[in-house]
Amino acid sequence: MDIDAYLKRLNYDGPRTRTLETLQALHQAHLLAVPFENLDIHLGRPIALEEEALYDKIVRQRRGGFCYERVMENGKFGPEFDHLTLLVPLEERWLADVGFGDSFREPLRLEESGEQIQYGVAYRLRNADELWTLDRRFSDQAWEPQYRFTLQPRQLTDFAGMCRYHQTSPASHFTQKRICSRATPEGRVTLSDMRLIITASGQRQETVLQDEEEYRHALEEHFGIDLTISKS
């Protein structure tokens, strides 16, 4: 992996020392530069969980990626290997996750029993019987579980089966609609099928795109993605 090329992809020119400040800055930079997207699934292009293929897609092709322990959906946690998150050991252990869409902007301290508030949103991590659960809460609303994970080390190949499922099953929400979403300094920009949703400073603006030409233009303008030149 060419580290310089990856950091250039993130528009990051800060320190590279192994510190919490560097981890926080890289986490933010990745979310601001690399979108969460499933476009290849709808183009019939297989997504391979191989480091070289993922690097080529995200860095060289300037594309995004999609999530790859158990995600909460419809009140239940999904199967294992439904999502991949990272444990980063520094002086303390931190949960890093740039593949879960609209989630925490900076890593979360793992051994922290209280709330961790970022940009007005509260997060907490609960541990019971070796299972960790990430919860999120907006303002005065109730806590909502996001996903569950363990600290058992995994390999990318462990996630291959669920990766195939999410690309091919009609029951997967990734096969049901196109999504491309990226954090911005003021909020978030999202393409959800033919809806362009821009949130800035708490204000939401939604535009319905009229055709595929407008869709491709929005992809280029807001995400820098030109699908006509992406490799298959």
Side-chain angles (χ1 to χ4, degrees):
M1 179 183 292
D2 185 338
I3 300 298
D4 290 335
Y6 171 66
L7 296 181
K8 184 177 180 180
R9 169 74 173 99
L10 302 192
N11 302 310
Y12 180 82
D13 58 2
R16 303 189 187 187
T17 49
R18 193 173 181 272
T19 65
L20 173 59
E21 291 74 21
T22 300
L23 175 63
Q24 290 171 330
L26 286 171
H27 201 276
Q28 283 254 33
H30 189 111
L31 289 170
L32 292 170
V34 180
F36 175 93
E37 52 109 328
N38 67 344
L39 303 177
D40 276 355
I41 294 174
H42 295 269
L43 292 169
R45 301 172 181 174
I47 299 171
L49 290 184
E50 300 169 358
E51 287 188 10
E52 175 59 30
L54 297 174
Y55 176 86
D56 180 71
K57 180 186 177 189
I58 292 172
V59 178
R60 298 193 184 100
Q61 298 183 47
R62 303 185 66 82
R63 292 282 307 282
F66 77 129
C67 63
Y68 254 76
E69 287 314 70
R70 301 178 179 177
V71 175
M72 173 66 83
E73 188 172 15
N74 298 324
K76 299 187 297 182
F77 287 108
E80 285 192 287
F81 308 111
D82 203 31
H83 179 66
L84 185 152
T85 192
L86 300 176
L87 178 67
V88 181
L90 298 171
E91 291 185 2
E92 299 176 278
R93 297 189 296 180
W94 297 84
L95 180 72
D97 192 347
V98 295
F100 198 58
D102 189 6
S103 190
F104 50 91
R105 294 285 184 102
E106 296 182 358
L108 298 175
R109 182 184 285 107
L110 190 69
E111 280 89 8
E112 171 60 68
S113 58
E115 297 182 357
Q116 300 184 59
I117 299 176
Q118 298 183 8
Y119 298 89
V121 181
Y123 300 90
R124 69 179 181 186
L125 289 161
R126 296 181 285 123
N127 179 21
D129 300 326
E130 306 303 320
L131 283 175
W132 293 79
T133 302
L134 170 67
D135 297 328
R136 180 176 67 180
R137 184 177 70 181
F138 294 100
S139 56
D140 295 330
Q141 298 177 17
W143 287 103
E144 294 183 344
Q146 300 298 292
Y147 57 73
R148 180 175 288 172
F149 61 97
T150 73
L151 301 185
Q152 180 178 345
R154 303 291 191 183
Q155 302 292 325
L156 276 178
T157 52
D158 296 335
F159 296 83
M162 285 304 296
C163 186
R164 285 192 297 272
Y165 166 84
H166 280 301
Q167 294 179 70
T168 59
S169 172
S172 166
H173 55 271
F174 289 116
T175 62
Q176 295 173 20
K177 67 177 181 180
R178 296 178 293 184
I179 187 74
C180 190
S181 183
R182 178 179 60 82
T184 67
E186 300 80 21
R188 192 161 201 89
V189 56
T190 299
L191 263 178
S192 179
D193 274 338
M194 300 301 285
R195 293 183 300 132
L196 174 63
I197 305 163
I198 299 176
T199 304
S201 303
Q203 301 298 311
R204 175 187 170 104
Q205 176 184 350
E206 182 173 325
T207 304
V208 176
L209 306 178
Q210 299 303 308
D211 51 35
E212 286 298 310
E213 184 177 352
E214 283 195 6
Y215 182 87
R216 289 192 296 270
H217 177 76
L219 267 184
E220 292 188 43
E221 179 182 357
H222 296 284
F223 305 97
I225 292 177
D226 182 352
L227 294 176
T228 64
I229 63 174
S230 294
K231 299 176 183 178
S232 61

